[in-house]
Amino acid sequence: MKNNFISLISNPPEGFKNINPTKHVLLGGRVAIYADSCEDVTSLLDNFTKRIQGVIITPNELFFFTPLGPALWHMGVPEPMLADLASIAASYLDMLSVGQLALNQNEQLNLELAHSKNTQSHLAENYNVNVQRLGEKVEQLREEIEKSKQAEKQIVRLNNLREELLRVGHFDKKLTHVTEAVVNTFDADFCRIWIIKPGDRCDYGCPHANITDGPHACRHRKRCLHLVASSGRYSGLDSSFHSRVPFGCYKIGMIASGDIENFMTNDVTHDPRVHDHDWAKQHGLLSFAGYRLFSDKGVPVGVIALFSKYAINPQEVGLLEGVANSTSQIIQINRDANEKEAMQVNLLRAQKMEAIGLMAGGVAHDLNNILAGIVGYPELLLLQLPQSSKLRKPIEAIQESGKRATIIVDDLLTVARGAASTREPNDLNTLIQEYLDSPECVTLKSSHPGNICTRQLKAQNPIISCSPVHIKKIIMNLITNAMEALSDAGTVTVSTRNQVVEKNDIFEHELEPGSYVLLTVQDDGPGIAAVDLEHIFEPFYTKKVMGHSGTGLGLAIVWNTVHDHNGRIFVKSSEGETIFRIFFPVNTIEAIVSSDVDTVKQVTGASEHILVVDDEPQLRDLANQMLGFMGYKVDSVCSGELALEFVKETAVDVIVMDMLMDPGMNGCQTYEEILKLYPDQKAVIASGFSESDDIKKALELGAGVFIKKPYSMAKLGRAVKEALCS
């Protein structure tokens, strides 16, 4: 209901004039109104019934009081009472005005008081909320400050770690400093580092090597993770199950292989990537972080991992990634240093071997020329002596001594890195079996009855391109050394298997990617002292009694023969174990061909004309007699110049030509000049030294065969036969 009211009374009676319509607002719409007649009341009702409240007074003979609306009354008053009523109404209205004012003031005060109370309550509530928020902000700020201080401490510790790594020289100590720093800086329960090494080393002492079934079977022989540093709860590099982790197995091996990404978890007791939840619960562990370590070429080289009883925050994750990167750099620097050192050692060894080889090669060439007569003339004499002759035995002894001397000279030529030999596809397993069953090996075994020699020839593709004689000499030298190093209760194991070296394999840097046959000779003897290990391949370096059990050339021959065959040899020795590993490239092209042993009768000639060219009179004479005995027509000259003059006058079927002749033209130059006259001239090249560049050039020019001095009659006859048929 509105508080304002427009009165229709224009001229109220005397006494009602103080009823001012302007007071209606103050009176809140409660008014007493005088009307002249009931019609006026009706008009009022039509317009204001719903808007006014109070009493409408009209003159009437009889007194009445009738309700007109919810808060409006019609009052009839006799005329004589109007004056008194006017006074009463005025007083009433004044009273109403004062009361209403007081009421309004009281209500206003009540409203203001209520508003004040509401304001106070709201302020109190806001105050409490703000105090709570301020407390939370203070606590959050305190935590941030603590985290910042902790991060600063961690950064300082990691910077100190970098400085320590620069000061500490030994590689293992550097890695141990890393694991210790992780434990101390991040409150880790323990931290460990594994490095990937060739898996074949796990054949010996690896707890996983004998697992053949299940998810933890070692399926990656070429790569395995070796524990190299550990700090915290587990501080030792013991022989526990995790001291070696197969590549691709468990969470560590799977991080290394990339089967699972580097990961961090703060819920190790439920995370499916952590396989032993009960173990984690037992030790109260909460978090794990593991990171793959890389070489500068992006090849995985290891893993660093930690377990902790506390959660790892995002900032610590970044710091741990930095530690992993620093560890990768340490490993790379160490690998670079090792490779550089190995290259320097190999270079010095090669230079030393080359110097010794040059000396040995020169001596061997001269000795072979001398031995040619000692070996050749007895053969001629024995062919002409009757079986009952008393001279046969001493002549055979001379011949045998010459052959033994020839073997020593062959060893010198091998040391000289140029032993002339024919390379043919051969089965390495067969060559090993042939030696182990040979009379020489039987004699060796009988000299050491307490020792056992076993074989494990598992190579499925054992074909290599080689000189069988030299490969057997490798096998003989290694087995002989192993037998002599053992007491009378040891074991020598000879084994083979195939090994594929891939481009990204962490392998010995000397090996090129490809397929190899791995020959291993292992013994359980006392091992080789570290001071001796770096010298064992040097000629004449031996711990044996010279002239009694060796010449000091055995391992030098092995080293040179292996390199001549494009192979590589590695040795590892410790107390109770010595292992020689030799890698030979697998032959994938040529097929094995059978070789027949020729007799003199099988290589006899049919009066073909042979010219012998040699600066040594004794060798010319020996070749003349051998070829003549086999049915050839033979002439000989002592120089290349004379050979050139001879063929200008007389055609020959084959020229047997010495390669090194002094003075004048050598064999290659002589053959080159003869080819200008006779492009199809056939020739056999002979030398007591090696398959040199001149020999290779002569063979490329068309010389059919190379034969090494001293040669037997059968070998010379076969060479001439091959030249005639070429």
Side-chain angles (χ1 to χ4, degrees):
M1 183 164 303
K2 297 243 179 166
N3 289 329
N4 59 343
F5 172 69
I6 300 175
S7 175
L8 297 178
I9 302 173
S10 60
N11 187 20
E14 187 70 26
F16 278 79
K17 290 181 180 180
N18 61 340
I19 304 176
N20 193 330
T22 59
K23 295 182 180 179
H24 296 173
V25 176
L26 296 176
L27 296 176
R30 299 178 179 88
V31 297
I33 302 172
Y34 175 78
D36 292 331
S37 65
C38 289
E39 288 79 4
D40 294 331
V41 174
T42 302
S43 178
L44 284 171
L45 289 175
D46 290 340
N47 292 287
F48 303 109
T49 299
K50 297 180 181 179
R51 291 190 292 161
I52 63 174
Q53 49 185 252
V55 179
I56 298 175
I57 302 172
T58 59
N60 195 59
E61 293 180 357
L62 297 177
F63 180 87
F64 66 87
F65 195 78
T66 303
L68 299 177
L72 182 65
W73 297 84
H74 181 199
M75 186 175 180
V77 179
E79 191 72 28
M81 297 177 61
L82 284 175
D84 295 334
L85 182 62
S87 177
I88 293 171
S91 299
Y92 174 73
L93 288 174
D94 288 339
M95 181 187 66
L96 285 177
S97 176
V98 173
Q100 186 65 42
L101 179 61
L103 180 61
N104 290 342
Q105 289 176 345
N106 186 57
E107 288 180 355
Q108 184 67 25
L109 288 175
N110 287 335
L111 289 174
E112 291 177 356
L113 180 60
H115 179 70
S116 176
K117 289 182 178 179
N118 289 337
T119 302
Q120 290 178 0
S121 176
H122 183 67
L123 288 175
E125 183 179 349
N126 288 343
Y127 173 78
N128 292 333
V129 170
N130 289 334
V131 168
Q132 182 179 357
R133 289 178 179 175
L134 181 61
E136 292 174 354
K137 289 289 184 181
V138 170
E139 181 64 23
Q140 184 179 0
L141 182 60
R142 188 189 66 78
E143 292 178 357
E144 292 296 331
I145 293 173
E146 289 297 323
K147 289 180 180 179
S148 179
K149 290 182 179 179
Q150 180 68 16
E152 289 178 2
K153 291 179 181 179
Q154 291 173 337
I155 293 173
V156 169
R157 288 176 179 174
L158 294 180
N159 287 335
N160 292 337
L161 171 63
R162 294 186 181 94
E163 294 179 2
E164 290 174 2
L165 294 178
L166 292 175
R167 290 196 300 268
V168 179
H170 197 276
F171 176 62
D172 293 339
K173 289 184 178 179
K174 288 185 178 182
L175 295 182
T176 300
H177 271 282
V178 172
T179 56
E180 289 176 350
V182 170
V183 170
N184 296 329
T185 303
F186 300 98
D187 292 327
D189 191 69
F190 65 93
C191 176
R192 298 186 130 184
I193 297 175
W194 292 262
I195 292 181
I196 299 174
K197 295 182 180 180
D200 63 284
R201 295 180 181 175
C202 291
D203 288 343
Y204 314 104
C206 178
H208 306 277
N210 296 324
I211 300 178
T212 57
D213 297 319
H216 302 141
C218 191
R219 300 179 299 277
H220 298 273
R221 275 283 173 241
K222 59 190 177 185
R223 280 181 280 186
C224 181
L225 288 106
H226 291 228
L227 182 64
V228 292
S230 184
S231 299
R233 179 189 298 273
Y234 306 109
S235 58
L237 305 180
D238 54 22
S239 58
S240 65
F241 205 65
H242 290 93
S243 62
R244 293 180 183 177
V245 179
F247 193 77
C249 295
Y250 307 101
K251 60 181 175 299
I252 299 301
M254 294 177 74
I255 290 174
S257 65
D259 292 337
I260 59 176
E261 295 296 326
N262 298 340
F263 77 91
M264 187 280 296
T265 178
N266 285 323
D267 189 16
V268 295
T269 57
H270 298 93
D271 196 307
R273 295 171 295 184
V274 181
H275 72 280
D276 198 340
H277 295 159
D278 292 337
W279 168 81
K281 290 178 183 177
Q282 178 184 352
H283 294 291
L285 300 177
L286 179 65
S287 59
F288 168 85
Y291 300 92
R292 191 182 305 117
L293 307 176
F294 291 96
S295 71
D296 57 356
K297 297 179 181 178
V299 178
V301 295
V303 172
I304 181 172
L306 66 91
F307 275 95
S308 178
K309 296 180 179 179
Y310 308 98
I312 301 172
N313 61 53
Q315 188 173 14
E316 290 176 328
V317 171
L319 294 175
L320 287 170
E321 290 175 351
V323 172
N325 291 334
S326 297
T327 307
S328 295
Q329 293 173 3
I330 294 169
I331 296 173
Q332 183 61 46
I333 291 171
N334 180 71
R335 288 184 180 276
D336 291 342
N338 288 342
E339 288 189 5
K340 183 178 180 181
E341 182 180 358
M343 290 174 66
Q344 290 175 340
V345 169
N346 288 336
L347 178 61
L348 291 174
R349 178 183 294 163
Q351 291 173 339
K352 185 184 294 185
M353 299 295 279
E354 182 180 5
I356 295 174
L358 289 174
M359 178 194 70
V363 171
H365 175 263
D366 293 337
L367 286 176
N368 272 334
N369 284 337
I370 296 171
L371 289 172
I374 298 175
V375 174
Y377 282 118
E379 184 178 12
L380 287 171
L381 290 173
L382 290 172
L383 288 172
Q384 299 175 47
L385 284 175
Q387 292 295 327
S388 59
S389 173
K390 295 181 179 180
L391 295 176
R392 292 190 68 88
K393 188 172 182 178
I395 293 174
E396 287 173 348
I398 294 171
Q399 186 184 39
E400 182 61 28
S401 297
K403 289 181 178 179
R404 290 173 59 189
T406 300
I407 293 173
I408 296 175
V409 174
D410 283 343
D411 290 345
L412 286 173
L413 284 173
T414 302
V415 171
R417 292 295 310 278
S421 60
T422 302
R423 308 288 166 81
E424 296 176 347
N426 284 273
D427 187 322
L428 181 59
N429 289 344
T430 300
L431 296 179
I432 294 171
Q433 291 172 350
E434 287 177 355
Y435 171 73
L436 293 176
D437 296 335
S438 67
E440 294 87 353
C441 189
V442 172
T443 301
L444 177 65
K445 292 176 184 177
S446 64
S447 301
H448 304 276
N451 295 337
I452 301 172
C453 185
T454 64
R455 66 190 81 178
Q456 298 176 7
L457 309 180
K458 298 180 180 180
Q460 299 297 314
N461 184 11
I463 309 303
I464 63 174
S465 181
C466 68
S467 165
V469 173
H470 289 85
I471 297 302
K472 286 183 180 180
K473 188 165 289 187
I474 289 175
I475 300 166
M476 178 194 71
N477 282 326
L478 292 178
I479 293 178
T480 300
N481 285 350
M483 282 287 196
E484 293 179 351
L486 294 172
S487 59
D488 284 337
T491 301
V492 178
T493 302
V494 183
S495 62
T496 64
R497 64 180 177 85
N498 288 108
Q499 175 78 53
V500 176
V501 177
E502 297 176 355
K503 183 177 181 180
N504 292 331
D505 281 347
I506 304 300
F507 233 104
E508 285 80 3
H509 67 279
E510 299 176 4
L511 283 175
E512 295 293 331
S515 298
Y516 292 84
V517 182
L518 174 59
L519 166 62
T520 303
V521 178
Q522 177 185 1
D523 68 70
D524 54 5
I528 303 172
V531 67
D532 296 323
L533 199 59
E534 60 185 54
H535 299 291
I536 60 173
F537 294 117
E538 296 175 6
F540 309 114
Y541 185 89
T542 181
K543 291 296 182 178
K544 302 176 182 178
V545 179
M546 291 291 287
H548 176 69
S549 60
T551 62
L553 290 174
L555 289 179
I557 292 168
V558 170
W559 190 87
N560 282 277
T561 301
V562 169
H563 281 259
D564 271 344
H565 285 75
N566 299 318
R568 293 294 181 268
I569 182 170
F570 304 97
V571 59
K572 176 183 177 183
S573 186
S574 59
E575 182 67 29
E577 180 183 72
T578 298
I579 306 171
F580 284 88
R581 297 179 303 138
I582 302 175
F583 290 81
F584 290 113
V586 171
N587 179 80
T588 58
I589 301 176
E590 301 175 88
I592 297 178
V593 295
S594 60
S595 58
D596 299 323
V597 178
D598 296 314
T599 63
V600 174
K601 291 182 179 180
Q602 291 173 323
V603 295
T604 54
S607 299
E608 292 92 341
H609 195 180
I610 311 297
L611 176 64
V612 177
V613 185
D614 201 307
D615 60 337
E616 289 286 338
Q618 188 180 75
L619 295 181
R620 289 198 307 274
D621 178 68
L622 182 60
N624 283 346
Q625 291 196 46
M626 285 182 171
L627 291 169
F629 187 86
M630 289 185 286
Y632 293 101
K633 177 183 178 182
V634 187
D635 284 297
S636 62
V637 294
C638 64
S639 68
E641 290 81 2
L642 291 176
L644 190 58
E645 293 299 325
F646 185 90
V647 297
K648 287 180 181 179
E649 301 294 333
T650 307
V652 295
D653 296 299
V654 175
I655 302 174
V656 178
M657 191 175 320
D658 184 24
M659 185 50 59
L660 299 178
M661 295 182 288
D662 188 50
M665 295 189 297
N666 63 25
C668 183
Q669 294 168 338
T670 302
Y671 186 54
E672 196 169 9
E673 292 299 320
I674 291 174
L675 287 176
K676 294 178 182 178
L677 299 174
Y678 306 105
D680 296 327
Q681 180 63 61
K682 299 175 180 179
V684 172
I685 302 298
S687 177
F689 182 43
S690 64
E691 195 169 326
S692 63
D693 292 339
D694 284 334
I695 294 175
K696 292 177 181 177
K697 183 178 179 181
L699 294 173
E700 291 173 358
L701 289 172
V705 184
F706 169 78
I707 183 172
K708 187 175 70 67
K709 299 178 184 178
Y711 42 73
S712 65
M713 188 182 301
K715 288 183 178 180
L716 177 60
R718 181 179 182 183
V720 172
K721 275 286 187 183
E722 287 184 9
L724 287 169
C725 297
S726 63

